[in-house]
Amino acid sequence: MQWEVVIGLENHVQLTTQSKIFSGSSIRFGAEPNTQASPVDLALPGVLPVLNRGAVERAIRFGLAVGAKIAPQSVFARKNYFYPDLPKGYQISQFEDPVVQGGTISFAYEKDGKLETKTVNLTRAHLEEDAGKSLHEDYAGMSGIDLNRAGTPLLEIVSEPEMRSAAEAVAYAKALHSLVMWLGVCDGNMQEGSFRCDVNVSVRPVGQKEFGTRCEIKNLNSFRFMEEAIHYEVRRQIELIEDGGKVIQATRLWDPDRKETRSMRTKEDAQDYRYFPDPDLPPLVIGQDWIDRVKAGMPELPGALRARFTGEYGLPEYDSLVLTSSKAMAGYYEAVVAKAGKENAKAAANWMMGDVSSTLNREGVDIGDAPVSAAQLALLLKRIADGTISNKAGKEVFAAMWEAKSDDENLADTVIDQKGLKQISDTGALEAIVDEVLAANAKSVEQYRAGKEAAINALIGQTMKASKGKANPAQVTELLKQKLAG
């Protein structure tokens, strides 16, 4: 039987406010346990929550970016469940009236060696508070509770179940991760729990309209783990069904050491949480004037920037997609073009997607921390464009610039001089070398003049060898053609 995979994601995005969603407690990461929990976070008797305006504005910003409806009035509810790190015995969240409704996320991913694009619809994005954290290590067989995270502001972003492979799901998650960082609503630090992924996975026979029974894999904190977990869970469900078993709706955890998902608990439905409006919080009212103020402060969005890169710089769609994968990458590219000139826009894109990206990946460095600045790369591109050095020599110069870690904007010129990489562009000097090569390679000359045009490649190679790689290849080719025609 042929199976179809159905995937939907729920992403918990920690918002970049300075304080918690309903109290003034700090959300700084790394503090000593239980030093950032106020009476509100601890749910002591008589305290009342007060909504953080900054959290609401970040939710509005996200909603505008994905083309969603911003609810003019939304309601906070109590989601009731017992867990040791939930001091109130309930979580303040949104259920029936979320602040962000609908919207879409578009992304590109590779399928069968080709670049595919896809748009996934969002169900909603709602504000809620995070729970605390249970600690199970180094406590002499006991567990500890750290309530520093309790009350941390989250935006939970829920997609429709429209993804059909692990590759699509990972590409969607990466696009969402990039967008929330682009907007400044989340720092995106997955290791610190700022961006967490819950993946709902089910399978169904190809052609069946009804969804299969889904299982939710909780708290995946890396894209690699997400991909591995989806692949495992899909295999597990298919094998279970084909062996005559039945998938039970459950929450599962990914074990990265054993490379498997394992059951955590049977999956609850909404009624199990006994949602009801929180009596301590009035409805959240968002007027158009508030939305307009947030909109006025929005950065240029990735889609608009891609269109501008394609129109203004003449870049192919693929280049524009890669260069707008992050705000930092796009900013670096525009800074290079501003210094190197629009005539070098395509060359700048090639270098960004080639040597720059491969070096960043190899060194494990973000573009914002690259030791070669945009101005330094721009000068290198100019020196390649004006024939001072060859593109091959440019790679050597770039590597040396990376190692130098210098602030000198003229670093490319310094390295070129130090390594003696300037191309020979003097016509007289080149003519002398070409004449020697023609005299020493009579057979290739004869073959070319007999109509075998490929023979000129051997002559070009010999000329470059004689010049120790310093001859300008374009000039060499032109000079050879002139002399061979004579």
Side-chain angles (χ1 to χ4, degrees), residues 2 26 31 39 50 55 63 151 174 186 193 214 217 235 240 246 254 282 284 292 315 320 337 358 380 416 434 458 465:
Q2 295 296 308
S26 170
V50 177
K174 286 182 176 179
C186 175
R214 64 187 171 92
I217 311 169
R235 289 196 304 272
L240 182 62
K246 184 178 180 182
W254 172 245
L284 171 60
D292 291 340
L315 297 183
S320 296
V337 175
S358 62
L380 174 59
I416 290 168
V434 167
K465 183 179 179 181

Side-chain angles (χ1 to χ4, degrees), residues 428-444:
L430 283 178
E431 274 196 282
I433 296 172
V434 167
D435 288 341
E436 289 180 10
V437 169
L438 291 175
N441 293 273
K443 185 176 180 181
S444 293

Side-chain angles (χ1 to χ4, degrees), residues 230-343:
I230 292 171
H231 283 310
Y232 176 87
E233 184 61 20
V234 168
R235 289 196 304 272
R236 186 190 74 85
Q237 292 187 21
I238 291 174
E239 289 172 3
L240 182 62
I241 296 169
E242 290 183 343
D243 288 344
K246 184 178 180 182
V247 176
I248 298 172
Q249 185 172 329
T251 297
R252 303 181 69 84
L253 294 177
W254 172 245
D255 186 331
D257 296 323
R258 300 176 65 177
K259 303 290 185 184
E260 64 181 21
T261 63
R262 49 188 174 82
S263 182
M264 178 182 175
R265 59 178 181 265
T266 56
K267 179 64 180 172
E268 304 90 345
D269 287 314
Q271 61 266 26
D272 296 321
Y273 291 119
R274 306 187 315 281
Y275 283 98
F276 64 87
D278 192 310
D280 292 336
L281 287 162
L284 171 60
V285 177
I286 300 175
Q288 188 59 46
D289 57 338
W290 194 0
I291 295 173
D292 291 340
R293 285 198 302 274
V294 173
K295 191 173 185 178
M298 294 273 286
E300 186 175 14
L301 297 175
L305 198 57
R306 283 195 292 271
R308 185 161 65 78
F309 279 9
T310 302
E312 188 174 338
Y313 301 138
L315 297 183
E317 182 182 357
Y318 178 80
D319 293 21
S320 296
L321 279 166
V322 173
L323 294 171
T324 56
S325 60
S326 76
K327 193 174 185 180
M329 178 74 79
Y332 187 101
Y333 172 73
E334 287 224 274
V336 172
V337 175
K339 289 279 189 179
K342 289 185 180 180
E343 65 274 14

Side-chain angles (χ1 to χ4, degrees), residues 78-91:
R78 292 184 178 183
K79 180 180 180 181
N80 295 272
Y81 65 96
F82 174 77
Y83 209 70
D85 56 20
L86 191 69
K88 291 191 287 289
Y90 61 84
Q91 177 190 31

Side-chain angles (χ1 to χ4, degrees), residues 84-107:
D85 56 20
L86 191 69
K88 291 191 287 289
Y90 61 84
Q91 177 190 31
I92 301 177
S93 182
Q94 293 184 311
F95 181 54
E96 292 180 340
D97 296 299
V99 63
V100 176
Q101 302 173 6
T104 59
I105 295 285
S106 297
F107 56 91

Side-chain angles (χ1 to χ4, degrees), residues 102-114:
T104 59
I105 295 285
S106 297
F107 56 91
Y109 68 103
E110 196 169 292
K111 181 179 180 182
D112 300 327
K114 297 180 181 178

